Amino acid sequence: MAKKVQVTLTGNEGKRLIAKAAVRMPEIQGRLEKHKILLCGGTTVSALSEELGLGPLRISGRIDASGARTALKKAKAPHNLLVDQGKGQNVDSSIQKVAETLNDKDLVIVGANAIDPMGRAALAFAALGGGSRGYALHSAYMQGVPMLILAGINKLIPDLGAAQAHSGRAGIDLSMGAAIGLYNIYGPVITELKAFEILFGVEAVVIAGSGFGTGDGTRTFVLHGEEAAIQQAWDLCLGLKGAGVSACEDSLFTCVGGCRHCQRHVGCYYKELAQGED
């Protein structure tokens, strides 16, 4: 018998849902023992790292209520983790060399800062060239390494093409946080909608967004499917309530402007403010 329920998930709860679905995908399970998987750290990929039993990742760039920011200090946890025969290795200092060794049997898993209705996705970079990760991802593309993109539906923007036409580090006069450019990434995009399908075989439709208070940034879904599957989805959603951000705790502290890690960023109002106070 078919059943329909309505569930609401915060951004962090949605990321945990996506991670739980991704870890079951044959694209990942089929590579864990025989091939390499490069996890490029963001909060959703960090949640996947936890699901794999490898612990949370270090988070560098982030967009919070104050704008596009970076971590106050560099924590010891890996930002980029190579999973080779089920074991994780911190490759932050060698990500370019690692990317050059990957092949079409391996996999890169990354988050996204923007996705659009046409299935396009992009990462936001505040450093020139996207820093070491930007160059490494480009190298991985040249090697033909497939990519899996984990991104919550709250990353949805109307048109990535228009976004790219108006973004960019050099063209911004002043920014709340670092001015960012967008870097195209290619591969299947796994949102909460796909996650519900993978985990339970149910259809999910977004019917509302945003919220109030602690519900700010939530998405509300209607789930439709067979009764047993819907019950399982409902139970998991209840179990996800209250889930926090996945990240190495030391990397959660955000630069307030002018720290040594944001010196390569441009346009930042907070950096200019801090320098004016010296």
Side-chain angles (χ1 to χ4, degrees):
M1 179 182 296
K3 189 174 182 179
K4 185 185 290 187
V5 297
Q6 177 182 307
V7 300
T8 297
L9 299 175
T10 67
N12 287 329
E13 292 162 0
K15 292 173 183 181
R16 300 284 183 171
L17 175 75
I18 292 167
K20 288 181 179 298
V23 78
R24 296 191 186 183
M25 295 179 68
E27 291 89 335
I28 294 178
Q29 287 296 321
R31 289 178 168 91
L32 282 175
E33 298 300 326
K34 296 183 179 180
H35 301 290
K36 298 175 183 178
I37 301 174
L38 178 61
L39 303 181
C40 295
T43 51
T44 312
V45 179
S46 178
L48 172 62
S49 180
E50 289 196 78
E51 288 292 327
L52 290 170
L54 300 172
L57 302 178
R58 172 171 65 87
I59 306 303
S60 180
R62 75 285 310 272
I63 299 176
D64 63 16
S66 64
R69 312 300 293 275
T70 191
L72 180 62
K73 58 183 179 179
K74 186 174 180 177
K76 293 181 179 180
H79 187 43
N80 303 284
L81 188 71
L82 181 67
V83 184
D84 188 0
Q85 296 182 350
K87 297 181 180 180
Q89 175 187 352
N90 186 333
V91 294
D92 288 349
S93 62
S94 58
I95 185 172
Q96 176 66 32
K97 291 182 179 179
V98 167
E100 293 172 0
T101 69
L102 301 179
N103 59 47
D104 60 348
K105 301 295 191 296
D106 300 316
L107 181 68
V108 172
I109 304 179
V110 67
N113 296 103
I115 59 176
D116 76 3
M118 289 181 280
R120 299 180 295 183
L123 277 170
F125 285 129
L128 185 64
S132 59
R133 175 180 291 180
Y135 293 114
L137 288 177
H138 187 70
S139 297
Y141 281 134
M142 295 299 99
Q143 293 289 90
V145 183
M147 180 175 291
L148 190 64
I149 302 165
L150 310 184
I153 203 71
N154 58 3
K155 303 292 181 67
L156 185 67
I157 65 171
D159 183 351
L160 186 55
Q164 290 179 309
H166 289 277
S167 63
R169 297 172 74 249
I172 303 297
D173 296 313
L174 193 63
S175 171
M176 292 183 180
I180 57 176
L182 296 175
Y183 177 81
N184 284 327
I185 49 179
Y186 303 93
V189 179
I190 311 303
T191 67
E192 294 92 335
L193 305 183
K194 186 65 176 179
F196 279 118
E197 178 186 333
I198 292 169
L199 287 169
F200 308 108
V202 302
E203 179 185 4
V205 178
V206 184
I207 64 168
S210 194
F212 175 80
T214 57
D216 189 29
T218 59
R219 293 295 182 269
T220 296
F221 306 85
V222 164
L223 309 181
H224 182 267
E226 291 301 312
E227 185 173 2
I230 288 294
Q231 186 63 52
Q232 291 175 345
W234 174 266
D235 290 342
L236 177 61
C237 289
L238 286 180
L240 290 172
K241 300 312 294 181
V245 63
S246 176
C248 162
E249 187 173 351
D250 288 346
S251 67
L252 291 176
F253 298 98
T254 299
C255 172
V256 295
C259 78
R260 66 187 182 90
H261 298 295
C262 75
Q263 294 305 312
R264 58 183 178 167
H265 299 161
V266 298
C268 180
Y269 164 75
Y270 306 110
K271 184 166 66 174
E272 292 189 10
L273 190 66
Q275 291 170 344
E277 293 174 350
D278 290 340

